[in-house]
Amino acid sequence: GVDPHAITDKLTADPPPGRLLHTIALADDVHFGEHSSGLIVAGLPTGLRHETEHYPDFMLTALLDDLRRPDRAADQLIVAGDLTDAGTLEQCLGVRARLDEWGVLGRDYFVCRGNHDKPDKHRIDHWGTVFHARQRLVEYRVGELRMIGLDTTRLRGSGGTIVAPQLAHLRELLAADPDRPTLVFGHHPVTSHAAVSNPGGPGFVLDRTNAAALGALYRDAPGVFLHHCGHTHRNRRNRPDSGVDVEFLEVAATK
């Protein structure tokens, strides 16, 4: 027979040294308001549904409930984009209400925008009204930990970018305190490893110019240890493009 505990031990990373300070859950791609999950194009394949409510709503509730369980005991939650399916006011208010039931924005949970959270066809930015404005980073502190959320979305298309003022703001923050333990999160994956391995190809992730710029910033800010993103709906650790000691992590879709 095979000892299942031995298998689990091999799959579980060794905890880092030192005492536990915080437990932070990493999530993304809620797609609140979508009718089903697993769609690729034009309603195909048929997708997964729930009998009584929209599938992503059901999955978000399951996630939030799970984080409060004693064996999880998450102190904070980061949701790296695509909180909504289409960025409508109803969807933005709906997902905000669910998250507010779990905790307080900026203290217990932290968010950034994804490509599904863009302004509507009339350029009305409901997500920006409910959460925060387009192409501006947000900075949070949890104890001595700094967390920086990036907006990597374009007005059109599924690929990512960072506008010059936001990149300059990030450079300023990191240069002012380069050794502070820092977790960065944004919706689009960054590395060349992610660009060539995801089904959507290089145009689906952060553009190469801004990816290189982030690598250069992280090289001069040794306190940055993790860059969390979503968008590809998969779990994957990616190799950095340059010699930086930063973990680049893609986390699968909540929905």
Side-chain angles (χ1 to χ4, degrees):
V2 177
D3 181 0
H5 297 291
I7 296 175
T8 302
D9 289 344
K10 291 179 181 178
L11 296 176
T12 304
D14 293 330
R19 63 187 178 90
L20 177 65
L21 298 176
H22 305 280
T23 298
I24 300 175
L26 304 178
D28 51 81
D29 292 273
V30 175
H31 289 241
F32 191 89
E34 192 176 83
H35 293 282
S36 61
S37 183
L39 306 180
I40 297 177
V41 63
L44 297 173
T46 55
L48 300 172
R49 298 175 182 269
H50 189 261
E51 292 180 0
T52 60
E53 58 183 314
H54 291 164
Y55 186 83
D57 305 5
F58 172 77
M59 294 298 286
L60 175 59
T61 299
L63 167 71
L64 297 177
D65 289 347
D66 189 66
L67 296 183
R68 292 298 192 205
R69 293 179 180 273
D71 60 337
R72 302 292 194 271
D75 301 299
Q76 281 87 29
L77 167 65
I78 294 175
V79 187
D82 280 5
L83 278 72
T84 68
D85 181 47
T88 67
L89 181 59
E90 180 183 13
Q91 291 172 5
C92 293
L93 291 174
V95 73
R96 174 70 191 261
R98 288 284 185 92
L99 291 168
D100 283 350
E101 291 172 0
W102 189 84
V104 176
L105 177 63
R107 186 192 72 188
D108 305 310
Y109 76 90
F110 315 92
V111 302
C112 68
R113 187 192 301 260
N115 57 295
H116 278 257
D117 304 317
K118 291 183 292 191
D120 65 17
K121 62 183 179 181
H122 303 295
R123 296 292 181 93
I124 300 175
D125 186 10
H126 300 298
W127 200 94
T129 300
V130 174
F131 291 104
H132 37 73
R134 269 199 81 249
Q135 276 290 348
R136 296 181 187 175
L137 65 76
V138 286
E139 181 187 21
Y140 304 104
R141 295 293 177 95
V142 175
E144 296 300 312
L145 174 67
R146 172 173 57 187
M147 296 189 292
I148 298 175
L150 302 176
D151 183 343
T152 59
T153 62
R154 301 176 183 270
L155 282 174
R156 292 186 178 87
S158 57
T161 194
I162 304 174
V163 298
Q166 182 180 195
L167 190 63
H169 190 187
L170 177 62
R171 181 180 295 109
E172 178 185 320
L173 289 178
L174 295 180
D177 197 357
D179 296 312
R180 177 169 296 281
T182 300
L183 188 164
V184 182
F185 60 100
H187 188 60
H188 292 83
V190 174
T191 68
S192 296
H193 195 208
V196 300
S197 64
N198 85 88
F204 195 66
V205 302
L206 191 69
D207 68 78
R208 298 300 83 206
T209 299
N210 279 290
L214 284 182
L217 294 183
Y218 294 168
R219 213 167 26 245
D220 295 332
V224 179
F225 64 92
L226 175 67
H227 187 113
H228 159 53
C229 58
H231 192 47
T232 56
H233 295 199
R234 62 181 183 171
N235 290 310
R236 187 179 181 90
R237 294 170 63 190
N238 292 306
R239 296 187 299 269
D241 294 334
S242 55
V244 295
D245 191 18
V246 178
E247 188 87 28
F248 289 89
L249 182 68
E250 299 171 49
V251 173
T254 295
K255 65 129 178 178

